[in-house]
Amino acid sequence: MERPIYMDYQATTPVDPRVLEAMLPYFSERFGNAASGGHAFGWEAQAAVKRAREICAKVLGAEPMEIVFTSGSTEGIGLALKGAAESCLQRGRHIVTCATEHPAVIDTVRHLAARGLEVTWLPVDREGSIDLRQLAAALTERTILVALMAANNEIGTLHPIADIGRVCRERGVLFFCDATQGVGKIPIDVRRDAIDILSFSAHKLYGPKGAGALYVRGKDPPVRLAAQTQGGGQERGMRPGTLNVPGIVGLGRACEVAAEELSTEAARLTRLRRRLHDGITRGVAGVALNGPAEKRLPGNLNLWFEGVDSAALMMEMKEVAVSSGSACASTEREPSHVLKAIGASDRQAHSSLRFGLGRMTTEWEVDRVVELTVRAVRRLRESAP
Ligand SMILES: *Cc1c(COP(=O)(O)O)cnc(C)c1O
């Protein structure tokens, strides 16, 4: 069988050839441990990590010392939430977050709630947006942290991070942003947006799996996160352990390429997404968009196909790799918590598909996916009783 057309870029992305090329020497001849200070192998690795740290910082508008390398966003999110909760215990034990966050945030917050943390879950409207007045009203003397994502991985909603940052800063509350879908895709600047902690991941950004970073504000005043693993003093003690040098080099190169191409790529993906959306809605009736129409992640299109089961639809169009929920939850048949939060019924949630477009998506692929989707939806509706 021919390989399907890949339209699942919110689940993961292929490694860009430019990123792979930068990484390769660090698997073989430049294999040193970045903590080995006594010889050239260590210095070589150290220099590569330093350079990647500078690039990651620059892309976020941060300082190099504010970057903590991790194994990806799930780890970064855990360190941010547990680390902040642990180091702010004297100040209070209240966190504000939202119903549409990634499971890495939701499950960590639940874990903390089971240990006595108070949580406010902000609701969202039909497009997945929070109400800033509700956010401001939720903050109390005991609130230590607000955790809200930059861009939603299922329906593409963009949260107004600069406004959220301003509200949090005025009230002296830390703002943690899960920017795994945002970094390299939408403009983010941690100073302008008043973000205190931010997590992102290389594999959503055309870099390798198993590498990511956490921005942790280092001054005015510095944010302290209690380490969640103990060992050597790497990463200012917040994340000890031998650094994944090839992964870090890949993350740096991935950030560099994404920053260079951000605006042209956003425009190209917006055009391709509209072409896909228009093509499908012209071809079949009873299709509605999940998530916002305009202000959204350029490469995300989540559609509800009335009366069509999404699992059956995916079987009917095996030539396309799409998703019927987030990758982590899609083996179960639980309706998506994000679609439920925007008011979808279980039936609607089970009739929705996410199309994720990205750097390697071509116009030809989009037109082919329109054709295959329209044909599959028609066939299923015709065969329905
Ligand atoms: C993929 C994703 C994560 C998890 O990142 P990993 O690096 O795969 O652990 C967290 N949040 C969002 C929004 C994501 O899309």
Side-chain angles (χ1 to χ4, degrees), residues 12-292:
T12 195
T13 61
V15 174
D16 187 292
R18 292 166 285 186
V19 172
L20 181 63
E21 191 191 302
M23 292 173 68
L24 284 176
Y26 294 91
F27 287 107
S28 47
E29 69 265 32
R30 300 186 203 160
F31 62 85
N33 186 328
S36 300
H39 52 68
F41 293 89
W43 302 333
E44 213 166 47
Q46 243 167 47
V49 169
K50 179 166 182 275
R51 172 146 172 67
R53 200 184 297 283
E54 285 163 0
I55 299 168
C56 291
K58 181 152 177 257
V59 164
L60 300 173
E63 298 293 329
M65 55 85 70
E66 297 179 308
I67 301 297
V68 173
F69 290 116
T70 64
S71 66
S73 259
T74 301
E75 187 200 342
I77 289 164
L79 173 56
L81 297 177
K82 293 185 199 168
E86 197 177 320
S87 59
C88 294
L89 273 182
Q90 280 97 339
R91 272 207 48 213
R93 27 176 58 244
H94 175 227
I95 283 188
V96 178
T97 186
C98 167
T100 54
E101 292 294 310
H102 188 273
V105 169
I106 292 182
D107 291 353
T108 307
V109 169
R110 287 206 184 120
H111 170 90
L112 290 167
R115 281 152 189 78
L117 205 85
E118 294 161 44
V119 183
T120 300
W121 296 93
L122 295 176
V124 294
D125 64 17
R126 294 211 70 98
E127 298 195 334
S129 298
I130 59 152
D131 180 338
L132 284 169
R133 284 162 306 184
Q134 280 184 342
L135 168 65
L139 303 179
T140 73
E141 290 287 283
R142 293 164 52 75
T143 311
I144 52 174
L145 182 90
V146 168
L148 291 167
M149 69 206 316
N152 188 275
N153 50 302
E154 289 194 39
I155 58 171
T157 307
L158 304 181
H159 278 158
I161 49 176
D163 296 328
I164 294 167
R166 189 171 32 75
V167 171
C168 294
R169 197 55 60 88
E170 277 166 10
R171 304 285 292 272
V173 173
L174 292 178
F175 173 27
F176 164 65
C177 183
D178 172 5
T180 315
Q181 296 287 347
V183 171
K185 318 241 168 70
I186 56 168
I188 294 178
D189 182 302
V190 292
R191 297 272 178 267
R192 181 198 62 202
D193 300 337
I195 296 167
D196 298 299
I197 316 168
L198 175 145
S199 180
F200 66 106
S201 186
H203 80 98
K204 303 285 176 81
L205 190 64
Y206 311 95
K209 290 164 186 63
L214 197 62
Y215 152 78
V216 185
R217 185 154 59 86
K219 55 182 185 197
D220 312 322
V223 172
R224 283 305 313 171
L225 297 180
Q228 299 302 305
T229 41
Q230 279 66 42
Q234 293 95 339
E235 302 304 274
R236 290 190 284 147
M238 278 187 257
R239 202 279 190 174
T242 301
L243 291 176
N244 169 7
V245 178
I248 289 168
V249 167
L251 174 65
R253 186 70 181 118
C255 283
E256 197 168 50
V257 173
E260 274 164 21
E261 300 180 348
L262 191 146
S263 56
T264 49
E265 186 60 4
R268 191 185 76 93
L269 287 177
T270 300
R271 190 175 59 74
L272 288 180
R273 184 196 77 231
R274 291 204 177 117
R275 189 180 178 93
L276 179 64
H277 191 186
D278 292 348
I280 293 174
T281 43
R282 252 199 309 271
V284 283
V287 178
L289 176 70
N290 295 316

